[in-house]
Amino acid sequence: MQSVPDKINFAKEEQKTQEFWDRVDVFNQCLKRNEGLPQYSFYDGPPFATGTPHYGHILAGTIKDTVTRYAHQTGHHVIRRFGWDTHGLPIEFEIDKLLGIKCTDEVLKFGIPKYNAECRAIVMRYSEEWKVVVKRMGRWIDMDHPYKTMDLSFMESVWWVFWRLWKLGLVYRGFKVMPFSTACATPLSNFEANMQYRDVSDPAIYLTMPLESEPEVSLLVWTTTPWTLPSNLGVCVNASFDYVKIKDEESGQFYIVGEPLLPSLPYKARMTVIEKFKGSTLVGKFYIPLFDYFKSERASHNAFRIVADPYVTNDSGTGLVHMAPAFGEDDFRVCLDNGIISKGETLVCPVDNNGRFTAEVTEFAGVYVKDADKDIMHLLKQKGRVFFQGTKVHSYPFCWRSDTPLIYKAVPSWFVAVEKIKENLLLNNKKTYWVPEFVQEKRFHNWLESAHDWAVSRNRFWGTPLPIWISDDGQEVRVIGSVEKLNRLSGLHITDLHRENVDDVKIPSKKNPGTFLHRVPEVFDCWFESGSMPYGQMHYPFENKELFEASFPADFIAEGIDQTRGWFYTLLVLSTALFNKPPFKNLIVNGLVLASDGKKMSKRLKNYPDPVLIADRYGADALRLYLINSPVVRGDSLKFQEKGVRELLAQVFLPWFNAYRFLAQNSTNYQKMFSESFSPDLERVLASGNIMDKWILSETQSLIKFVRVEMEHYRLYTVVPKFVDFISTLTNWYVRLNRQRIKGVFGKEDAILSMSTLFHVLVTLCRAGAPFTPFFVEYLYQGLCYYIPASERQDSVHYCSFPEPLERAINPVIEGKLASMMNVISLCRIIRDKRNCPVKYPLQSLSVVTHNKQFLNALSELEPYIQSELNIKELVLTSDEGKFVHVRVEADRAKLGKRLRKDMAKVLVGLAALSTESVREFQATGSIVIEGHKLTLDDVQIFREFKGDTKKQEAVWEKDVLLVLNLEVDESMKAKGLAREVTNKIQKLRKRSGVDPLDPVDLFYAVSPADSCVANAISSEIQFISNTLGFTPLPLEHKPQFCLVIGQETSDLKGENAKLQLVLTCRQFGLSKTVPEDVAMWVASRNYYQLRNTLNTHGSCSIRIGDNTNTLTLGQNIFPTVKDAVGH
């Protein structure tokens, strides 16, 4: 096996691994190897390349990479193709900022060809940065041949999708009140409007609207949008609510208001109720409008009239709602239902696309609506129409791109009739599998149930143009579904479908020969394009028809929870409309990654660390595992903490590496000790009776079985924690408890068994961990390959299949036994920590008290491990509670008192007198007879209390098991603890000095004062120290005159003045005091092993120095070690 360093830089090793992957082209080789295997289809949602990737992208990318790597390893051909969302508001918004463009007219003045050229230039601005980050995170996906929504092939498929919807009768043109971004001069879809809400303070104004028939009586109306008041055409009430006419005793004015809302009026003058009536009484009455801008609507549409609708509530306001049909969805509906507006007619809408009042509103023409609020209220005050003016903090939608407040505005638009297919949407949603389920069953289902028709057109420029050609009178409409058809009808050869190339294209009219149809100016909502990606990425149906139909719906997709009303929704709408199928089978929804303070991550605020810096600091695998081993894979939020990545590195990857390094070191030592190479033998292990080897093999195979089951259900939130826990089990339990076996201390057979076991587990972990930590398992596998037969070895771990569980190795009984042992050890460690009693100091005994014979038998079988780990002299396993436990049975007095009456006192005495055995029998049978009365467990409470000396003992209950640790320490035990401490320091010194475990060394010590506790401990426990170290330390006075000191340390122990000096020397012969100095120098200059072989062969050797010849005789004046020379 190759030499393994003491320390590892995970990030640097990842870079080496990446170089290896690039050199061998591992990703593409994986794809080639699985060609012809069952197809596993995956859709990658397209991000924008106008910004760099953040942790949300990395999280979703890691989930996608993990699942698709697993699919590849389980025998599937998985095409992974990256995509880019290249159209829409994000790009236009950047160009508008760059060019200082504020409105649509300025774009038209600049020129659509030039404007779109600017957009095209920045579309892929950060694509190279994306490639760097995606590659650095170990994600395997084809970024060299991505699909782009601006490509002709993709846009043509989008046209085909829309053409099919048109043919199916699912497209129409109409007015609709929609969320509208005045900054971007375009309507937004409902799901876009729901993406960002903020708490804002808006005006809250109560207005008076005198009745025409009773001018002294005014309707009291409340609104938080004063800018909509110039467009008011009606007032709405709820016909079933109670309303009252009240009199202000101070002013003498009369007002009408909803009765339940009367107490909430902000004006606190004395009010007298004059009359009470239902809302239906008010319907049909006219009122005097606030403004005269649209007074003609009174005659043409009976405007400024009271109407009724159930949507009016009595939880806020006044119960009378002001209606401006152009600026409210309910306003529009109610006014349409009541004839205040009519279909096909001009709508009162005096606000342009940039949110400014038109010339119709003379006093405020050209003023941005939100800026006009103050002036409108001032004018109404002058008119005496303001009852009360205040403010209200409420949640208000903002544009998700421009960060400006949205308004609701009636716009002409092209719609997909989603409401027609709502039932099919709900049914197809049920055919999909979501993780976590609650997002599908609640959030997404509820969204589908309330789905509205989808406005898919946008009044913008950089996007896929709607393929709609229309006559001047609007009576003839043709939808084009392909480039070939457009070229045929227009007589042109069009190779780019953007607006600058198709806006002026005309096609001949069918109805009126000699006339032409022109294209409508709108482009598609970019969500329509992303929802079309299953078809666009394959240029379906123009190419890849068989491949698409064989792989649709997708086996798997994944994105963040914010896509519930975005990409997931648009995918489902279009696939349901086109094929009445769901677009995917399985979906993982991840939660949001927030900054450490719980706020949204912001590049402007710089409240999160650069992902690449984190990867370069701790490794991409550590970042990957941190993200997918968190609540975020269950749809919850994650507050990103750099320390979390650092801790994962320390708690998972370093121990994992150390287990591998430990195996590598001891495979080398094995060869030195037993003069043969280590060769793993799994069959030998399976045939062995060693419980520890059988246990970890069983745990390994159980893990594989668990991962396979859970990954089939896409439950990363169960898989990853289990995987991480297993690494902890391997390193903290198996390796720790079997160190001496692996080192060969117990002989060759134990060494080969334990090393083979560890090797098999590590190789299995490499193959099983490949989807999760692709870099590190490659590093491990390349090192472990040394011992894998050439016929079974692969050039990369990623060419290996995911392991199948070895059923014959799974032993739940052994797993249960070891679980019991580990639980006992862990609890006792807690006890030691609680009582400040470190494990290095031995204790007299641990008593385990339980009637669970199976539990006691398991511990008995593992007794040596428990004693060693807890450093106890004796393990007492007993079912006899009497010595340790006082059992107390208390009656339910309230319950039994009614039943037993005068016998209650006798029964209480009887319960108190019960023996431990009687109580246990009571628990086993569920009933007992006391003084002639049958009692059940429901009648009593049973308490078990430790009755030992809590100063000398510490007890802890674990269900029905009592653990009692004897904390009494005598002088001999203290000495053993000090000896352990001395041994530990020597071992640390050896490690710091860089000594190989099998390098021959001697150690010499000096302790002052000579009669200190430490000196006595070394003396009394010298055998333990020697057995642990593999050699015997000697007093410093025995150190040879000529030696090489390679490490030393002076320490204070236990707060005493005792000083310990440790000196490590290279291997030296021991010489008697009669050997001359020059001969001693000669011996020190020789190769120890060559001279030892000579002496072992011949028994002596002669040395000539100058005129003198000296003879060294083994056992007389020269000895194999310094220790052997003591006394000579």
Side-chain angles (χ1 to χ4, degrees), residues 262-432:
L262 183 59
S264 65
L265 289 181
Y267 187 62
K268 299 305 179 184
R270 188 162 63 89
M271 298 286 186
T272 302
V273 175
I274 305 299
E275 184 181 355
K276 178 178 176 180
F277 43 84
K278 290 292 183 182
S280 55
T281 307
L282 297 169
V283 173
K285 294 180 181 291
F286 290 88
Y287 61 88
I288 300 170
L290 296 168
F291 297 98
D292 293 333
Y293 305 130
F294 304 105
K295 61 183 179 182
S296 61
E297 295 295 314
R298 170 71 169 82
S300 61
H301 289 93
N302 286 327
F304 313 116
R305 170 167 48 98
I306 301 174
V307 296
D309 191 88
Y311 98 94
V312 176
T313 64
N314 60 7
D315 56 359
S316 63
T318 63
L320 297 100
V321 179
H322 126 73
M323 311 289 288
F327 303 113
E329 196 169 1
D330 285 311
D331 304 44
F332 184 92
R333 175 184 58 80
V334 173
C335 287
L336 188 64
D337 290 346
N338 287 277
I340 293 176
I341 59 173
S342 302
K343 284 185 178 181
E345 293 187 1
T346 303
L347 189 65
V348 171
C349 185
V351 176
D352 66 19
N353 286 346
N354 299 119
R356 301 177 185 278
F357 280 113
T358 60
E360 295 162 293
V361 181
T362 52
E363 283 96 341
F364 311 111
V367 179
Y368 178 63
V369 290
K370 288 285 187 179
D371 295 337
D373 278 346
K374 188 181 294 185
D375 294 333
I376 289 170
M377 290 187 292
H378 181 70
L379 182 57
L380 289 173
K381 273 186 178 179
Q382 291 179 336
K383 292 184 173 186
R385 290 298 194 91
V386 176
F387 175 79
F388 182 85
Q389 179 181 334
T391 58
K392 179 180 176 62
V393 175
H394 62 149
S395 186
Y396 193 84
F398 273 65
C399 177
W400 65 293
R401 282 298 174 185
S402 64
D403 277 338
T404 56
L406 299 175
I407 65 172
Y408 281 79
K409 182 175 182 291
V411 293
S413 190
W414 292 89
F415 294 86
V416 172
V418 173
E419 292 168 38
K420 283 187 177 181
I421 60 171
K422 185 181 294 185
E423 290 305 313
N424 287 340
L425 289 176
L426 292 166
L427 289 173
N428 283 329
N429 179 42
K430 291 180 180 179
K431 295 176 184 177
T432 60

Side-chain angles (χ1 to χ4, degrees), residues 509-762:
S509 167
K510 273 187 176 182
K511 290 185 177 180
N512 299 297
T515 64
F516 291 89
L517 310 182
H518 62 272
R519 198 191 71 82
V520 298
E522 293 95 337
V523 299
F524 278 109
D525 169 13
C526 62
W527 289 105
F528 189 91
E529 294 180 288
S530 59
S532 300
M533 68 77 52
Y535 329 107
Q537 70 166 348
M538 291 189 178
H539 194 205
Y540 179 82
F542 308 101
E543 294 181 83
N544 304 305
K545 196 170 187 292
E546 289 185 5
L547 177 61
F548 169 80
E549 291 172 357
S551 59
F552 180 85
D555 289 293
F556 169 67
I557 67 170
E559 292 294 342
I561 199 167
D562 53 335
Q563 294 298 325
T564 305
R565 298 173 178 179
W567 191 48
F568 304 153
Y569 176 70
T570 61
L571 282 173
L572 182 63
V573 167
L574 294 183
S575 70
T576 298
L578 294 171
F579 305 109
N580 197 20
K581 287 183 179 180
F584 54 84
K585 299 173 186 175
N586 303 287
L587 164 62
I588 295 179
V589 186
N590 63 262
L592 301 178
V593 184
L594 306 173
S596 59
D597 59 2
K599 295 179 180 177
K600 184 178 179 181
M601 287 187 170
S602 167
K603 292 179 182 178
R604 178 178 57 83
L605 297 175
K606 296 181 180 178
N607 61 350
Y608 65 93
D610 185 330
V612 175
L613 290 179
I614 293 295
D616 289 343
R617 191 172 293 156
Y618 306 108
D621 277 345
L623 177 55
R624 285 170 63 111
L625 207 60
Y626 170 74
L627 291 172
I628 60 175
N629 188 37
S630 73
V632 81
V633 293
R634 297 196 304 266
D636 296 332
S637 295
L638 168 67
K639 295 178 183 178
F640 184 87
Q641 303 275 355
E642 182 177 347
K643 71 175 184 178
V645 185
R646 183 169 61 247
E647 288 171 358
L648 196 71
L649 192 73
Q651 295 168 7
V652 177
F653 287 93
L654 276 173
W656 193 359
F657 165 75
N658 286 333
Y660 162 66
R661 184 170 66 88
F662 188 61
L663 175 65
Q665 286 176 337
N666 286 286
S667 67
T668 303
N669 295 342
Y670 179 90
Q671 187 167 15
K672 291 180 181 179
M673 294 173 70
F674 304 114
S675 302
E676 66 178 53
S677 296
F678 163 62
S679 179
D681 190 341
L682 177 61
E683 290 302 321
R684 195 167 174 178
V685 174
L686 290 171
S688 164
N690 185 281
I691 191 170
M692 297 301 291
D693 297 340
K694 287 184 174 296
W695 162 66
I696 198 64
L697 285 178
S698 180
E699 288 280 5
T700 304
Q701 300 310 315
S702 294
L703 172 70
I704 299 306
K705 195 171 185 178
F706 177 85
V707 171
R708 278 186 167 273
V709 170
E710 294 301 289
M711 285 299 288
E712 288 301 313
H713 292 87
Y714 296 85
R715 290 192 285 257
L716 289 180
Y717 62 86
T718 63
V719 170
V720 180
K722 189 88 168 180
F723 185 80
V724 169
D725 287 346
F726 177 82
I727 294 171
S728 175
T729 298
L730 173 68
T731 57
N732 292 333
W733 292 100
Y734 181 78
V735 174
R736 178 183 174 88
L737 295 177
N738 293 275
R739 290 183 70 85
Q740 299 299 89
R741 294 179 64 221
I742 295 169
K743 285 181 175 182
V745 172
F746 301 130
K748 179 180 175 181
E749 182 64 17
D750 249 358
I752 194 73
L753 287 173
S754 55
M755 289 172 64
S756 294
T757 300
L758 181 55
F759 171 83
H760 174 73
V761 172
L762 287 174

Side-chain angles (χ1 to χ4, degrees), residues 124-142:
M124 304 301 289
R125 176 192 288 170
Y126 294 110
S127 61
E128 289 305 313
E129 285 85 346
W130 271 83
K131 285 184 179 180
V132 168
V133 173
V134 169
K135 187 175 184 179
R136 181 66 192 89
M137 296 302 153
R139 185 182 176 194
W140 280 359
I141 189 165
D142 184 1

